[in-house]
Amino acid sequence: MRQLFAFFIPLGLSASLVTISHVIINSTLARSASPETIIASYAIGLSMLGIIERPAILLRQTCSALVRDRTSFKAMTNVAVCLLIGMFAAGLMISYSPAGELLFLRLFGVDDSMLQSIIDVYRVLMFVSIFSGIRCLYHGIIISNMRTKWLTIGMVVRLAAMYLVSLYYIHTGNVTSGQVGAVIFLVGMAIEAAVSYIEGSRLARSLPLKKEGHEIEKTGQIFQFYRPLLLSSLIAVIVGPAINAMLGKTSDIELAIASFAIAASLTQLVTSFFSYMHQIVLNFYRKDSALAVRFVMLCGFIPTLLIGILAYTGVGPWFMEHVMGVNERLMEASLHTLRVFMFLALIFPWLDFCNGIVMLRGQTKIMLFSQSANVAVTLTGLILCVLNAPAWNGMIGALAQSLGLAAELAVVAFAIRAQSPGISRGAGTTL
C-alpha cells in the first residue's frame, strides 16, 4: 500500500498543480489596462486549444497501457508523430485560414472586434498542443516505470518558469494583449515537455528490445487501442457547451451560469487529484488486484468528503469570499450547486478506476458506449430540469452532469461484469 501511495500522490499533485498555471496567467492578464477584453480573448483561445489538445492528452494513457519494450515504444512514437503533425496542420488552418475565423465567429459566437486578438492568441497556443503531446508521450513511459515523482518535478519547474516570465511582463509593463498569457503558457509547457523528454527517453533506452509475451509491435495495434479513446473524448466535448446553453434558459441566467462555473471549478480542483486512479489499475492490478481495490476503497470517498466540507461548513464561504471574491448572493447559489456536485465527486474515482480496467483489457471500444450514455443522460437531464424546475439555476447543470457520469459508470461496470474473465488476458492479447 505504501508503494501505491508513493506512486499515486505525485500524480495527484501534478494534476492539482495544473490549476496554479491558470491562476498565474489570469493574475498577470488582470494587470492590463483592459483586463476583461484581454482575459476574454485568452480564454476563448484556450477553449479552442482544449479541443485540439484532447488527442495529445490520450497519449499518456495509451503509452502507459501498451508500451513495455523498445519495439512497442517505436510503434507508439509513430502514432504520436502522426498525431502531432495532424494537430499542427489543424493549428495552421485555424490560425491562418478563413476556417479559423468561421469557427470562432460561429462556434464560439465572438464579436468581430475581438476576432483578430483571439486568432493572435491561438497562433501562440497552437504550439502548446505540440509540446503537450511530447510531454504526455513520455509521461506514459515515466508512469509505467513507477517514476511518477518526475511528473511533479516537471510541473514545479513549469510553474517556476511561468511565474518568472509573468514577473517580467508585469515589471516591464508589457501586459498589452492576450498573447502574453499564451506566451507564458507556452514557455511553461515547453519546459515541462523538456523535463519529461529527458527522463522519459532515458527510461525508454533502458527498456528491452522485445519483452517476452508482449504482443504490441505494430502501429495498427496502437491505433486499435487509441481510436476509441479519441472518439469517446470527442463525444464528451458536447457536454460543456450543452450545459452552458441550457443554463441560459433558466430563471436567472447570469446567476445560474456564474454559480455553476464557481462550483464546477472547486469540484475540478478537488477531483483533479484523483484523476489518475486508472493508472493504479494499469500498473498494479495484475500484480495484486485485491490491493488495488483496497486502494480505491480507501481513497474513493475522499473527494465527496472534501466537497462536503466546502459545501456544509464555513470553509467554503470563507474560500469563496476571501480567495475568489464572490458576493453573498452568488456564494449562496454556488454552495447549493456545490452540494449537488457531491454526487459527481462520489462517482468520479470509481469511474476512473473502472476505465482503467477497460484500458487494461484493451477493450476501449466500451468507452464509446459509456461516453455516449453520459452525453445522452446529461442532455436529457438538462432538458427535463429546465422545463420543470428552471429556478434550480446552477444546480441543474450539476445534477445533469452528475447523472451523466452515473450513467457512464453503469455502462462501464456492466461491461466489466459481463466480460470479467478477460482481465487475465491483458491489453496486448485482446486488441
Side-chain angles (χ1 to χ4, degrees):
M1 187 64 78
R2 282 197 301 271
Q3 186 182 6
L4 263 69
F5 275 107
F7 171 86
F8 183 76
I9 289 175
L11 290 175
L13 286 174
S14 66
S16 298
L17 288 173
V18 169
T19 58
I20 300 178
S21 297
H22 304 297
V23 171
I24 291 172
I25 292 170
N26 287 328
S27 63
T28 303
L29 298 181
R31 310 291 184 94
S32 65
S34 52
E36 295 86 358
T37 304
I38 287 178
I39 291 174
S41 66
Y42 172 76
I44 294 169
L46 191 66
S47 297
M48 179 62 79
L49 173 68
I51 297 171
I52 301 299
E53 189 193 21
R54 273 180 177 269
I57 301 298
L58 299 173
L59 291 174
R60 183 189 291 123
Q61 294 98 311
T62 306
C63 185
S64 177
L66 302 184
V67 172
R68 294 295 180 269
D69 51 37
R70 294 203 300 276
T71 302
S72 54
F73 182 66
K74 182 179 179 181
M76 183 74 233
T77 303
N78 291 338
V79 172
V81 169
C82 293
L83 182 66
L84 294 179
I85 291 172
M87 290 167 57
F88 188 68
L92 289 174
M93 183 182 70
I94 293 169
S95 299
Y96 297 101
S97 79
E101 296 180 3
L102 286 173
L103 281 172
F104 286 119
L105 289 171
R106 300 288 179 261
L107 181 62
F108 291 93
V110 303
D111 294 330
D112 289 333
S113 59
M114 290 183 63
L115 180 61
Q116 190 56 50
S117 61
I118 293 168
I119 290 175
D120 289 341
V121 168
Y122 191 76
R123 284 174 179 171
V124 178
L125 289 179
M126 63 179 280
F127 293 99
V128 173
S129 63
I130 305 302
F131 286 111
S132 178
I134 296 169
R135 170 196 66 158
C136 290
L137 173 65
Y138 287 100
H139 274 182
I141 291 285
I142 292 169
I143 291 169
S144 62
N145 282 272
M146 309 295 167
R147 304 281 291 173
T148 53
K149 68 178 182 181
W150 282 95
L151 270 71
T152 305
I153 292 170
M155 181 57 69
V156 170
V157 175
R158 162 183 162 175
L159 292 176
M162 291 176 68
Y163 183 63
L164 290 175
V165 177
S166 168
L167 289 179
Y168 165 78
Y169 276 111
I170 291 170
H171 288 302
T172 57
N174 286 325
V175 185
T176 56
S177 72
Q179 266 194 333
V180 170
V183 170
I184 295 172
F185 198 9
L186 176 60
V187 169
M189 188 63 78
I191 288 175
E192 187 185 5
V195 172
S196 301
Y197 171 78
I198 291 168
E199 177 62 14
S201 60
R202 185 188 69 80
L203 292 171
R205 287 192 298 269
S206 69
L207 294 173
L209 178 62
K210 185 73 180 75
K211 183 179 179 180
E212 185 178 352
H214 189 62
E215 298 184 6
I216 303 299
E217 298 178 350
K218 299 178 181 178
T219 302
Q221 293 173 296
I222 302 288
F223 267 119
Q224 194 171 348
F225 179 96
Y226 175 81
R227 193 181 300 111
L229 287 179
L230 176 60
L231 292 175
S232 62
S233 72
L234 293 177
I235 292 171
V237 171
I238 300 171
V239 171
I243 290 175
N244 287 327
M246 294 306 293
L247 290 180
K249 301 181 184 301
T250 55
S251 58
D252 193 330
I253 297 171
E254 292 81 5
L255 183 66
I257 294 174
S259 62
F260 176 82
I262 290 169
S265 65
L266 289 173
T267 303
Q268 174 66 26
L269 182 63
V270 171
T271 57
S272 62
F273 188 89
F274 300 89
S275 60
Y276 282 101
M277 199 67 74
H278 63 276
Q279 293 292 349
I280 292 293
V281 180
L282 293 176
N283 292 279
F284 292 97
Y285 197 95
R286 286 203 191 100
K287 300 174 185 176
D288 190 337
S289 59
L291 182 64
V293 172
R294 284 205 302 274
F295 183 86
V296 73
M297 290 288 290
L298 189 63
C299 299
F301 298 100
I302 295 176
T304 304
L305 178 63
L306 294 175
I307 296 293
I309 290 171
L310 288 172
Y312 287 101
T313 72
V315 176
W318 178 89
F319 188 86
M320 289 183 189
E321 180 181 356
H322 296 284
V323 178
M324 304 182 76
V326 175
N327 61 48
E328 187 173 349
R329 178 171 177 263
L330 181 55
M331 181 197 303
E332 188 66 27
S334 300
L335 287 172
H336 287 305
T337 305
L338 197 60
R339 289 165 188 167
V340 179
F341 268 128
M342 287 179 67
F343 184 39
L344 182 145
L346 177 64
I347 298 166
F348 181 82
W350 300 92
L351 174 61
D352 201 48
F353 186 84
C354 290
N355 279 336
I357 294 177
V358 169
M359 286 187 272
L360 186 65
R361 294 178 175 180
Q363 297 167 339
T364 49
K365 288 182 180 178
I366 291 170
M367 297 171 76
L368 280 172
F369 297 102
S370 63
Q371 196 61 251
S372 298
N374 183 337
V375 172
V377 172
T378 300
L379 294 177
T380 302
L382 286 169
I383 293 168
L384 291 175
C385 288
V386 167
L387 290 175
N388 295 287
W392 286 3
N393 293 320
M395 290 187 289
I396 291 173
L399 179 60
Q401 196 169 359
S402 300
L403 291 174
L405 211 68
E408 184 179 353
L409 177 59
V411 172
V412 174
F414 176 80
I416 290 172
R417 186 171 181 83
Q419 303 174 16
S420 55
I423 193 67
S424 63
R425 295 178 289 172
T429 57
T430 56
L431 290 170

